Tab-separated table of all heavy atoms in Angstrom:
chain	number	residue	atom	x	y	z
A	1	MET	N	-9.783	-20.799	-7.157
A	1	MET	CA	-9.319	-19.735	-8.015
A	1	MET	C	-9.659	-20.100	-9.455
A	1	MET	O	-9.526	-21.244	-9.875
A	1	MET	CB	-7.803	-19.582	-7.802
A	1	MET	CG	-7.048	-18.943	-8.912
A	1	MET	SD	-5.285	-18.743	-8.611
A	1	MET	CE	-4.704	-20.415	-8.604
A	2	ARG	N	-10.101	-19.063	-10.198
A	2	ARG	CA	-10.461	-19.262	-11.591
A	2	ARG	C	-9.895	-18.108	-12.414
A	2	ARG	O	-9.982	-16.948	-12.028
A	2	ARG	CB	-11.979	-19.310	-11.728
A	2	ARG	CG	-12.465	-19.665	-13.095
A	2	ARG	CD	-13.959	-19.995	-13.087
A	2	ARG	NE	-14.824	-18.837	-13.118
A	2	ARG	CZ	-15.093	-18.110	-14.198
A	2	ARG	NH1	-14.536	-18.418	-15.347
A	2	ARG	NH2	-15.901	-17.089	-14.132
A	3	ILE	N	-9.316	-18.434	-13.567
A	3	ILE	CA	-8.774	-17.425	-14.472
A	3	ILE	C	-9.918	-16.896	-15.334
A	3	ILE	O	-10.669	-17.666	-15.923
A	3	ILE	CB	-7.685	-18.028	-15.374
A	3	ILE	CG1	-6.534	-18.581	-14.535
A	3	ILE	CG2	-7.181	-16.980	-16.374
A	3	ILE	CD1	-5.538	-19.420	-15.317
A	4	VAL	N	-10.016	-15.567	-15.391
A	4	VAL	CA	-11.052	-14.911	-16.182
A	4	VAL	C	-10.368	-14.032	-17.230
A	4	VAL	O	-9.431	-13.304	-16.917
A	4	VAL	CB	-11.970	-14.053	-15.291
A	4	VAL	CG1	-13.020	-13.340	-16.125
A	4	VAL	CG2	-12.613	-14.916	-14.220
A	5	VAL	N	-10.855	-14.112	-18.470
A	5	VAL	CA	-10.282	-13.355	-19.584
A	5	VAL	C	-11.335	-12.403	-20.143
A	5	VAL	O	-12.457	-12.820	-20.431
A	5	VAL	CB	-9.830	-14.293	-20.720
A	5	VAL	CG1	-9.195	-13.503	-21.853
A	5	VAL	CG2	-8.896	-15.353	-20.214
A	6	ASP	N	-10.950	-11.147	-20.318
A	6	ASP	CA	-11.788	-10.202	-21.038
A	6	ASP	C	-11.265	-10.170	-22.470
A	6	ASP	O	-10.269	-9.519	-22.772
A	6	ASP	CB	-11.704	-8.816	-20.393
A	6	ASP	CG	-12.643	-7.817	-21.047
A	6	ASP	OD1	-12.964	-7.980	-22.254
A	6	ASP	OD2	-13.057	-6.865	-20.354
A	7	ARG	N	-11.908	-10.904	-23.349
A	7	ARG	CA	-11.438	-11.051	-24.728
A	7	ARG	C	-11.458	-9.719	-25.494
A	7	ARG	O	-10.711	-9.551	-26.452
A	7	ARG	CB	-12.264	-12.091	-25.461
A	7	ARG	CG	-12.188	-13.452	-24.788
A	7	ARG	CD	-11.714	-14.523	-25.718
A	7	ARG	NE	-11.655	-15.780	-25.005
A	7	ARG	CZ	-10.545	-16.345	-24.597
A	7	ARG	NH1	-9.404	-15.759	-24.824
A	7	ARG	NH2	-10.561	-17.486	-23.946
A	8	ASP	N	-12.289	-8.790	-25.071
A	8	ASP	CA	-12.320	-7.486	-25.720
A	8	ASP	C	-11.054	-6.688	-25.433
A	8	ASP	O	-10.666	-5.828	-26.224
A	8	ASP	CB	-13.539	-6.676	-25.267
A	8	ASP	CG	-14.852	-7.277	-25.758
A	8	ASP	OD1	-14.851	-7.907	-26.837
A	8	ASP	OD2	-15.865	-7.120	-25.059
A	9	LEU	N	-10.405	-6.971	-24.308
A	9	LEU	CA	-9.187	-6.248	-23.934
A	9	LEU	C	-7.906	-6.935	-24.394
A	9	LEU	O	-6.881	-6.291	-24.573
A	9	LEU	CB	-9.128	-6.061	-22.415
A	9	LEU	CG	-10.168	-5.136	-21.794
A	9	LEU	CD1	-10.013	-5.122	-20.275
A	9	LEU	CD2	-10.067	-3.736	-22.363
A	10	CYS	N	-7.953	-8.247	-24.575
A	10	CYS	CA	-6.750	-9.015	-24.902
A	10	CYS	C	-6.196	-8.599	-26.268
A	10	CYS	O	-6.905	-8.623	-27.271
A	10	CYS	CB	-7.044	-10.509	-24.897
A	10	CYS	SG	-5.594	-11.527	-25.249
A	11	ASP	N	-4.923	-8.205	-26.268
A	11	ASP	CA	-4.243	-7.806	-27.503
A	11	ASP	C	-3.271	-8.866	-28.011
A	11	ASP	O	-2.570	-8.642	-28.993
A	11	ASP	CB	-3.469	-6.505	-27.285
A	11	ASP	CG	-4.376	-5.298	-27.126
A	11	ASP	OD1	-5.494	-5.309	-27.678
A	11	ASP	OD2	-3.967	-4.343	-26.430
A	12	GLY	N	-3.176	-10.000	-27.322
A	12	GLY	CA	-2.308	-11.085	-27.771
A	12	GLY	C	-0.821	-10.819	-27.573
A	12	GLY	O	-0.009	-11.288	-28.362
A	13	HIS	N	-0.461	-10.086	-26.535
A	13	HIS	CA	0.946	-9.802	-26.262
A	13	HIS	C	1.728	-11.063	-25.876
A	13	HIS	O	2.912	-11.167	-26.155
A	13	HIS	CB	1.093	-8.767	-25.142
A	13	HIS	CG	0.598	-7.415	-25.516
A	13	HIS	ND1	1.301	-6.565	-26.322
A	13	HIS	CD2	-0.549	-6.775	-25.191
A	13	HIS	CE1	0.620	-5.455	-26.483
A	13	HIS	NE2	-0.514	-5.548	-25.805
A	14	GLY	N	1.077	-11.989	-25.192
A	14	GLY	CA	1.714	-13.254	-24.834
A	14	GLY	C	2.535	-13.240	-23.561
A	14	GLY	O	3.249	-14.200	-23.283
A	15	MET	N	2.441	-12.182	-22.779
A	15	MET	CA	3.185	-12.150	-21.511
A	15	MET	C	2.734	-13.266	-20.580
A	15	MET	O	3.552	-13.893	-19.917
A	15	MET	CB	3.013	-10.784	-20.832
A	15	MET	CG	3.597	-9.624	-21.619
A	15	MET	SD	5.361	-9.775	-21.911
A	15	MET	CE	5.973	-9.690	-20.248
A	16	CYS	N	1.437	-13.528	-20.548
A	16	CYS	CA	0.911	-14.581	-19.680
A	16	CYS	C	1.481	-15.941	-20.087
A	16	CYS	O	1.893	-16.727	-19.230
A	16	CYS	CB	-0.608	-14.596	-19.700
A	16	CYS	SG	-1.340	-14.773	-21.351
A	17	GLU	N	1.524	-16.190	-21.388
A	17	GLU	CA	2.067	-17.459	-21.875
A	17	GLU	C	3.553	-17.574	-21.543
A	17	GLU	O	4.027	-18.643	-21.160
A	17	GLU	CB	1.862	-17.581	-23.376
A	17	GLU	CG	2.379	-18.888	-23.936
A	17	GLU	CD	2.221	-18.992	-25.435
A	17	GLU	OE1	2.248	-17.971	-26.133
A	17	GLU	OE2	2.066	-20.130	-25.911
A	18	ALA	N	4.283	-16.496	-21.676
A	18	ALA	CA	5.716	-16.518	-21.382
A	18	ALA	C	5.975	-16.838	-19.913
A	18	ALA	O	6.953	-17.515	-19.583
A	18	ALA	CB	6.344	-15.176	-21.733
A	19	MET	N	5.087	-16.401	-19.039
A	19	MET	CA	5.291	-16.604	-17.604
A	19	MET	C	4.676	-17.897	-17.078
A	19	MET	O	5.137	-18.418	-16.067
A	19	MET	CB	4.736	-15.415	-16.827
A	19	MET	CG	5.499	-14.140	-17.127
A	19	MET	SD	4.966	-12.779	-16.100
A	19	MET	CE	5.620	-13.299	-14.512
A	20	ALA	N	3.639	-18.390	-17.751
A	20	ALA	CA	2.950	-19.597	-17.260
A	20	ALA	C	2.362	-20.358	-18.449
A	20	ALA	O	1.149	-20.439	-18.620
A	20	ALA	CB	1.865	-19.211	-16.260
A	21	HIS	N	3.237	-20.936	-19.253
A	21	HIS	CA	2.799	-21.618	-20.481
A	21	HIS	C	1.916	-22.837	-20.217
A	21	HIS	O	1.235	-23.304	-21.122
A	21	HIS	CB	4.001	-22.019	-21.333
A	21	HIS	CG	4.879	-23.035	-20.690
A	21	HIS	ND1	5.877	-22.690	-19.824
A	21	HIS	CD2	4.871	-24.380	-20.774
A	21	HIS	CE1	6.461	-23.796	-19.394
A	21	HIS	NE2	5.878	-24.822	-19.949
A	22	GLU	N	1.913	-23.323	-18.991
A	22	GLU	CA	1.054	-24.460	-18.667
A	22	GLU	C	-0.410	-24.044	-18.583
A	22	GLU	O	-1.304	-24.880	-18.645
A	22	GLU	CB	1.422	-25.088	-17.315
A	22	GLU	CG	2.883	-25.357	-17.110
A	22	GLU	CD	3.578	-24.194	-16.406
A	22	GLU	OE1	3.611	-23.081	-16.964
A	22	GLU	OE2	4.093	-24.398	-15.306
A	23	TYR	N	-0.664	-22.732	-18.446
A	23	TYR	CA	-2.019	-22.231	-18.229
A	23	TYR	C	-2.539	-21.342	-19.352
A	23	TYR	O	-3.745	-21.175	-19.497
A	23	TYR	CB	-2.075	-21.472	-16.893
A	23	TYR	CG	-1.694	-22.364	-15.754
A	23	TYR	CD1	-0.427	-22.309	-15.195
A	23	TYR	CD2	-2.580	-23.311	-15.263
A	23	TYR	CE1	-0.061	-23.169	-14.166
A	23	TYR	CE2	-2.221	-24.173	-14.250
A	23	TYR	CZ	-0.960	-24.098	-13.709
A	23	TYR	OH	-0.599	-24.955	-12.704
A	24	PHE	N	-1.628	-20.771	-20.142
A	24	PHE	CA	-2.012	-19.847	-21.203
A	24	PHE	C	-1.323	-20.222	-22.508
A	24	PHE	O	-0.179	-20.659	-22.505
A	24	PHE	CB	-1.595	-18.408	-20.839
A	24	PHE	CG	-2.134	-17.935	-19.530
A	24	PHE	CD1	-1.358	-18.005	-18.381
A	24	PHE	CD2	-3.412	-17.406	-19.430
A	24	PHE	CE1	-1.843	-17.561	-17.158
A	24	PHE	CE2	-3.904	-16.960	-18.211
A	24	PHE	CZ	-3.118	-17.038	-17.073
A	25	GLU	N	-2.035	-19.991	-23.629
A	25	GLU	CA	-1.459	-20.281	-24.937
A	25	GLU	C	-2.046	-19.317	-25.972
A	25	GLU	O	-3.256	-19.100	-26.003
A	25	GLU	CB	-1.785	-21.713	-25.338
A	25	GLU	CG	-1.281	-22.097	-26.702
A	25	GLU	CD	-1.673	-23.509	-27.056
A	25	GLU	OE1	-2.848	-23.746	-27.395
A	25	GLU	OE2	-0.790	-24.376	-26.988
A	26	LEU	N	-1.160	-18.754	-26.792
A	26	LEU	CA	-1.612	-17.948	-27.929
A	26	LEU	C	-1.671	-18.854	-29.150
A	26	LEU	O	-0.715	-19.555	-29.453
A	26	LEU	CB	-0.642	-16.805	-28.203
A	26	LEU	CG	-0.701	-15.621	-27.262
A	26	LEU	CD1	0.371	-14.617	-27.627
A	26	LEU	CD2	-2.060	-14.968	-27.286
A	27	ASP	N	-2.798	-18.803	-29.861
A	27	ASP	CA	-2.881	-19.611	-31.074
A	27	ASP	C	-2.244	-18.860	-32.245
A	27	ASP	O	-1.669	-17.776	-32.065
A	27	ASP	CB	-4.327	-20.032	-31.361
A	27	ASP	CG	-5.247	-18.887	-31.729
A	27	ASP	OD1	-4.757	-17.769	-32.028
A	27	ASP	OD2	-6.473	-19.108	-31.736
A	28	ASP	N	-2.330	-19.393	-33.427
A	28	ASP	CA	-1.688	-18.807	-34.605
A	28	ASP	C	-2.245	-17.425	-34.962
A	28	ASP	O	-1.597	-16.654	-35.663
A	28	ASP	CB	-1.820	-19.738	-35.808
A	28	ASP	CG	-1.019	-21.015	-35.623
A	28	ASP	OD1	-0.063	-21.010	-34.819
A	28	ASP	OD2	-1.352	-22.019	-36.274
A	29	ASP	N	-3.447	-17.121	-34.493
A	29	ASP	CA	-4.067	-15.822	-34.749
A	29	ASP	C	-3.901	-14.867	-33.570
A	29	ASP	O	-4.592	-13.850	-33.480
A	29	ASP	CB	-5.561	-16.002	-35.044
A	29	ASP	CG	-5.798	-16.778	-36.329
A	29	ASP	OD1	-5.044	-16.568	-37.297
A	29	ASP	OD2	-6.736	-17.609	-36.349
A	30	ASP	N	-2.995	-15.210	-32.635
A	30	ASP	CA	-2.746	-14.416	-31.429
A	30	ASP	C	-3.968	-14.276	-30.536
A	30	ASP	O	-4.161	-13.257	-29.873
A	30	ASP	CB	-2.176	-13.031	-31.769
A	30	ASP	CG	-0.748	-13.104	-32.274
A	30	ASP	OD1	-0.060	-14.096	-31.951
A	30	ASP	OD2	-0.321	-12.184	-32.986
A	31	VAL	N	-4.808	-15.293	-30.531
A	31	VAL	CA	-5.942	-15.347	-29.615
A	31	VAL	C	-5.522	-16.201	-28.426
A	31	VAL	O	-5.097	-17.347	-28.595
A	31	VAL	CB	-7.195	-15.935	-30.306
A	31	VAL	CG1	-8.326	-16.099	-29.307
A	31	VAL	CG2	-7.622	-15.053	-31.466
A	32	MET	N	-5.631	-15.638	-27.237
A	32	MET	CA	-5.192	-16.338	-26.031
A	32	MET	C	-6.246	-17.355	-25.588
A	32	MET	O	-7.436	-17.065	-25.589
A	32	MET	CB	-4.936	-15.316	-24.917
A	32	MET	CG	-4.145	-15.857	-23.756
A	32	MET	SD	-5.107	-16.735	-22.536
A	32	MET	CE	-6.154	-15.450	-21.964
A	33	ARG	N	-5.748	-18.538	-25.244
A	33	ARG	CA	-6.606	-19.594	-24.696
A	33	ARG	C	-6.119	-19.915	-23.296
A	33	ARG	O	-4.916	-19.981	-23.051
A	33	ARG	CB	-6.514	-20.871	-25.533
A	33	ARG	CG	-7.095	-20.772	-26.893
A	33	ARG	CD	-7.150	-22.104	-27.640
A	33	ARG	NE	-6.033	-23.003	-27.371
A	33	ARG	CZ	-6.160	-24.271	-26.963
A	33	ARG	NH1	-7.331	-24.797	-26.768
A	33	ARG	NH2	-5.103	-25.011	-26.777
A	34	VAL	N	-7.049	-20.108	-22.395
A	34	VAL	CA	-6.720	-20.585	-21.054
A	34	VAL	C	-6.739	-22.100	-21.119
A	34	VAL	O	-7.747	-22.707	-21.468
A	34	VAL	CB	-7.731	-20.065	-20.010
A	34	VAL	CG1	-7.438	-20.654	-18.653
A	34	VAL	CG2	-7.701	-18.543	-19.954
A	35	LEU	N	-5.621	-22.722	-20.807
A	35	LEU	CA	-5.505	-24.179	-20.892
A	35	LEU	C	-6.077	-24.868	-19.662
A	35	LEU	O	-6.619	-25.964	-19.763
A	35	LEU	CB	-4.040	-24.564	-21.084
A	35	LEU	CG	-3.367	-24.001	-22.330
A	35	LEU	CD1	-1.888	-24.380	-22.348
A	35	LEU	CD2	-4.064	-24.492	-23.592
A	36	VAL	N	-5.930	-24.233	-18.503
A	36	VAL	CA	-6.454	-24.773	-17.245
A	36	VAL	C	-7.175	-23.627	-16.560
A	36	VAL	O	-6.545	-22.729	-16.013
A	36	VAL	CB	-5.322	-25.319	-16.338
A	36	VAL	CG1	-5.893	-25.867	-15.046
A	36	VAL	CG2	-4.509	-26.366	-17.064
A	37	GLU	N	-8.498	-23.642	-16.609
A	37	GLU	CA	-9.278	-22.529	-16.082
A	37	GLU	C	-9.180	-22.398	-14.564
A	37	GLU	O	-9.212	-21.290	-14.031
A	37	GLU	CB	-10.740	-22.696	-16.494
A	37	GLU	CG	-11.589	-21.489	-16.174
A	37	GLU	CD	-12.992	-21.639	-16.715
A	37	GLU	OE1	-13.183	-21.482	-17.924
A	37	GLU	OE2	-13.890	-21.919	-15.890
A	38	SER	N	-9.065	-23.515	-13.868
A	38	SER	CA	-8.993	-23.501	-12.409
A	38	SER	C	-7.711	-24.188	-11.952
A	38	SER	O	-7.715	-25.372	-11.600
A	38	SER	CB	-10.206	-24.206	-11.806
A	38	SER	OG	-11.386	-23.509	-12.133
A	39	PRO	N	-6.594	-23.451	-11.940
A	39	PRO	CA	-5.324	-24.047	-11.519
A	39	PRO	C	-5.331	-24.375	-10.037
A	39	PRO	O	-6.107	-23.799	-9.266
A	39	PRO	CB	-4.286	-22.970	-11.835
A	39	PRO	CG	-5.040	-21.721	-12.055
A	39	PRO	CD	-6.446	-22.066	-12.348
A	40	PRO	N	-4.476	-25.287	-9.614
A	40	PRO	CA	-4.415	-25.651	-8.199
A	40	PRO	C	-3.903	-24.480	-7.350
A	40	PRO	O	-3.151	-23.630	-7.833
A	40	PRO	CB	-3.439	-26.826	-8.161
A	40	PRO	CG	-2.664	-26.737	-9.420
A	40	PRO	CD	-3.523	-26.044	-10.423
A	41	GLU	N	-4.318	-24.454	-6.133
A	41	GLU	CA	-3.916	-23.402	-5.198
A	41	GLU	C	-2.398	-23.313	-5.067
A	41	GLU	O	-1.852	-22.223	-4.876
A	41	GLU	CB	-4.564	-23.653	-3.825
A	41	GLU	CG	-4.405	-22.525	-2.851
A	41	GLU	CD	-5.112	-21.239	-3.283
A	41	GLU	OE1	-6.152	-21.311	-3.960
A	41	GLU	OE2	-4.600	-20.154	-2.925
A	42	SER	N	-1.721	-24.430	-5.214
A	42	SER	CA	-0.258	-24.443	-5.111
A	42	SER	C	0.413	-23.624	-6.219
A	42	SER	O	1.579	-23.254	-6.097
A	42	SER	CB	0.259	-25.882	-5.141
A	42	SER	OG	-0.090	-26.504	-6.370
A	43	GLU	N	-0.314	-23.323	-7.289
A	43	GLU	CA	0.214	-22.548	-8.411
A	43	GLU	C	-0.244	-21.089	-8.384
A	43	GLU	O	-0.002	-20.345	-9.332
A	43	GLU	CB	-0.216	-23.190	-9.729
A	43	GLU	CG	0.393	-24.542	-9.980
A	43	GLU	CD	1.870	-24.429	-10.322
A	43	GLU	OE1	2.199	-23.828	-11.337
A	43	GLU	OE2	2.690	-24.954	-9.528
A	44	ARG	N	-0.895	-20.681	-7.299
A	44	ARG	CA	-1.471	-19.337	-7.207
A	44	ARG	C	-0.450	-18.248	-7.494
A	44	ARG	O	-0.725	-17.323	-8.270
A	44	ARG	CB	-2.107	-19.096	-5.853
A	44	ARG	CG	-2.684	-17.679	-5.722
A	44	ARG	CD	-3.317	-17.423	-4.373
A	44	ARG	NE	-4.674	-17.882	-4.286
A	44	ARG	CZ	-5.727	-17.210	-4.752
A	44	ARG	NH1	-5.559	-16.072	-5.357
A	44	ARG	NH2	-6.932	-17.684	-4.617
A	45	ALA	N	0.719	-18.304	-6.897
A	45	ALA	CA	1.719	-17.243	-7.070
A	45	ALA	C	2.145	-17.128	-8.533
A	45	ALA	O	2.244	-16.015	-9.075
A	45	ALA	CB	2.926	-17.494	-6.178
A	46	LYS	N	2.366	-18.250	-9.178
A	46	LYS	CA	2.796	-18.247	-10.583
A	46	LYS	C	1.705	-17.685	-11.486
A	46	LYS	O	1.961	-16.842	-12.354
A	46	LYS	CB	3.162	-19.662	-11.015
A	46	LYS	CG	3.633	-19.763	-12.432
A	46	LYS	CD	4.025	-21.181	-12.762
A	46	LYS	CE	4.720	-21.250	-14.104
A	46	LYS	NZ	5.304	-22.560	-14.329
A	47	VAL	N	0.473	-18.144	-11.298
A	47	VAL	CA	-0.641	-17.693	-12.128
A	47	VAL	C	-0.936	-16.221	-11.856
A	47	VAL	O	-1.177	-15.440	-12.788
A	47	VAL	CB	-1.887	-18.580	-11.900
A	47	VAL	CG1	-3.094	-18.024	-12.629
A	47	VAL	CG2	-1.610	-20.006	-12.338
A	48	HIS	N	-0.881	-15.814	-10.605
A	48	HIS	CA	-1.111	-14.416	-10.245
A	48	HIS	C	-0.080	-13.509	-10.928
A	48	HIS	O	-0.433	-12.456	-11.474
A	48	HIS	CB	-1.068	-14.244	-8.730
A	48	HIS	CG	-1.260	-12.840	-8.280
A	48	HIS	ND1	-2.414	-12.132	-8.500
A	48	HIS	CD2	-0.433	-11.991	-7.640
A	48	HIS	CE1	-2.285	-10.916	-8.009
A	48	HIS	NE2	-1.091	-10.805	-7.486
A	49	ALA	N	1.168	-13.914	-10.919
A	49	ALA	CA	2.221	-13.126	-11.577
A	49	ALA	C	1.959	-13.017	-13.078
A	49	ALA	O	2.140	-11.948	-13.670
A	49	ALA	CB	3.587	-13.752	-11.309
A	50	ALA	N	1.525	-14.106	-13.696
A	50	ALA	CA	1.225	-14.083	-15.132
A	50	ALA	C	0.040	-13.164	-15.426
A	50	ALA	O	0.065	-12.399	-16.388
A	50	ALA	CB	0.941	-15.497	-15.632
A	51	VAL	N	-0.981	-13.225	-14.590
A	51	VAL	CA	-2.153	-12.360	-14.753
A	51	VAL	C	-1.743	-10.894	-14.606
A	51	VAL	O	-2.141	-10.034	-15.392
A	51	VAL	CB	-3.248	-12.748	-13.733
A	51	VAL	CG1	-4.311	-11.667	-13.612
A	51	VAL	CG2	-3.870	-14.084	-14.116
A	52	GLN	N	-0.925	-10.599	-13.614
A	52	GLN	CA	-0.478	-9.228	-13.373
A	52	GLN	C	0.423	-8.702	-14.481
A	52	GLN	O	0.541	-7.490	-14.670
A	52	GLN	CB	0.245	-9.133	-12.028
A	52	GLN	CG	-0.656	-9.365	-10.838
A	52	GLN	CD	-1.750	-8.322	-10.742
A	52	GLN	OE1	-1.477	-7.142	-10.733
A	52	GLN	NE2	-2.994	-8.767	-10.695
A	53	SER	N	1.051	-9.587	-15.246
A	53	SER	CA	1.960	-9.163	-16.304
A	53	SER	C	1.240	-8.689	-17.563
A	53	SER	O	1.866	-8.130	-18.459
A	53	SER	CB	2.918	-10.305	-16.668
A	53	SER	OG	2.245	-11.290	-17.434
A	54	CYS	N	-0.063	-8.901	-17.640
A	54	CYS	CA	-0.817	-8.548	-18.839
A	54	CYS	C	-0.853	-7.025	-19.028
A	54	CYS	O	-1.456	-6.321	-18.212
A	54	CYS	CB	-2.243	-9.080	-18.750
A	54	CYS	SG	-3.249	-8.655	-20.199
A	55	PRO	N	-0.219	-6.523	-20.103
A	55	PRO	CA	-0.193	-5.070	-20.309
A	55	PRO	C	-1.566	-4.496	-20.681
A	55	PRO	O	-1.801	-3.295	-20.502
A	55	PRO	CB	0.810	-4.881	-21.446
A	55	PRO	CG	0.862	-6.178	-22.141
A	55	PRO	CD	0.547	-7.228	-21.118
A	56	ALA	N	-2.477	-5.335	-21.154
A	56	ALA	CA	-3.815	-4.879	-21.547
A	56	ALA	C	-4.829	-5.013	-20.410
A	56	ALA	O	-5.995	-4.635	-20.577
A	56	ALA	CB	-4.294	-5.653	-22.762
A	57	LEU	N	-4.401	-5.576	-19.276
A	57	LEU	CA	-5.279	-5.797	-18.125
A	57	LEU	C	-6.490	-6.657	-18.492
A	57	LEU	O	-7.596	-6.449	-18.006
A	57	LEU	CB	-5.728	-4.474	-17.498
A	57	LEU	CG	-4.610	-3.520	-17.085
A	57	LEU	CD1	-5.179	-2.199	-16.603
A	57	LEU	CD2	-3.714	-4.151	-16.041
A	58	ALA	N	-6.259	-7.644	-19.356
A	58	ALA	CA	-7.331	-8.499	-19.839
A	58	ALA	C	-7.574	-9.721	-18.964
A	58	ALA	O	-8.544	-10.439	-19.174
A	58	ALA	CB	-7.024	-8.959	-21.259
A	59	LEU	N	-6.703	-9.963	-17.981
A	59	LEU	CA	-6.815	-11.154	-17.138
A	59	LEU	C	-7.121	-10.779	-15.698
A	59	LEU	O	-6.662	-9.747	-15.205
A	59	LEU	CB	-5.509	-11.945	-17.180
A	59	LEU	CG	-5.076	-12.456	-18.539
A	59	LEU	CD1	-3.664	-13.005	-18.469
A	59	LEU	CD2	-6.036	-13.513	-19.029
A	60	SER	N	-7.856	-11.650	-15.038
A	60	SER	CA	-8.090	-11.503	-13.602
A	60	SER	C	-8.287	-12.876	-12.993
A	60	SER	O	-8.462	-13.866	-13.706
A	60	SER	CB	-9.322	-10.614	-13.340
A	60	SER	OG	-10.480	-11.195	-13.882
A	61	LEU	N	-8.232	-12.914	-11.676
A	61	LEU	CA	-8.472	-14.150	-10.927
A	61	LEU	C	-9.697	-13.958	-10.051
A	61	LEU	O	-9.863	-12.907	-9.432
A	61	LEU	CB	-7.286	-14.497	-10.041
A	61	LEU	CG	-5.990	-14.873	-10.764
A	61	LEU	CD1	-4.884	-15.102	-9.751
A	61	LEU	CD2	-6.176	-16.106	-11.620
A	62	GLN	N	-10.545	-14.966	-10.017
A	62	GLN	CA	-11.710	-14.965	-9.127
A	62	GLN	C	-11.564	-16.126	-8.167
A	62	GLN	O	-11.168	-17.215	-8.573
A	62	GLN	CB	-13.002	-15.114	-9.909
A	62	GLN	CG	-13.369	-13.913	-10.723
A	62	GLN	CD	-14.707	-14.097	-11.413
A	62	GLN	OE1	-15.270	-15.179	-11.461
A	62	GLN	NE2	-15.240	-13.021	-11.964
A	63	ASP	N	-11.887	-15.874	-6.922
A	63	ASP	CA	-11.839	-16.948	-5.920
A	63	ASP	C	-13.190	-17.624	-5.817
A	63	ASP	O	-14.197	-17.149	-6.170
A	63	ASP	CB	-11.436	-16.396	-4.560
A	63	ASP	CG	-9.935	-16.132	-4.512
A	63	ASP	OD1	-9.161	-16.928	-5.045
A	63	ASP	OD2	-9.563	-15.099	-3.934
């Protein structure tokens, strides 16, 4: 599994960071960074929930 970000869609809401701060981080300019691009399979449910929480639909998961 790999986290994919569409930077053109990301509005910096921070929902992903709030749900999975180990994998997502907003910097001081509200630009989202993926901290771990390929999280372990054991974290799939948590990362999937964070991706689904994005109101801008800027995140997806690829297998």
Side-chain angles (χ1 to χ4, degrees):
M1 157 179 68
R2 187 167 81 77
I3 300 169
V4 178
V5 182
D6 184 333
R7 300 236 179 255
D8 292 330
L9 293 177
C10 182
D11 289 332
H13 293 283
M15 296 300 296
C16 56
E17 181 182 30
M19 295 186 71
H21 65 274
E22 312 93 298
Y23 300 101
F24 304 97
E25 178 182 76
L26 284 177
D27 67 14
D28 293 338
D29 295 322
D30 289 336
V31 175
M32 195 277 297
R33 292 187 325 126
V34 176
L35 300 176
V36 180
E37 189 174 284
S38 296
E41 189 65 31
S42 61
E43 293 288 297
R44 178 180 276 279
K46 181 178 190 170
V47 173
H48 179 63
V51 165
Q52 293 298 306
S53 75
C54 179
L57 305 175
L59 300 170
S60 62
L61 293 176
Q62 289 183 349
D63 283 320

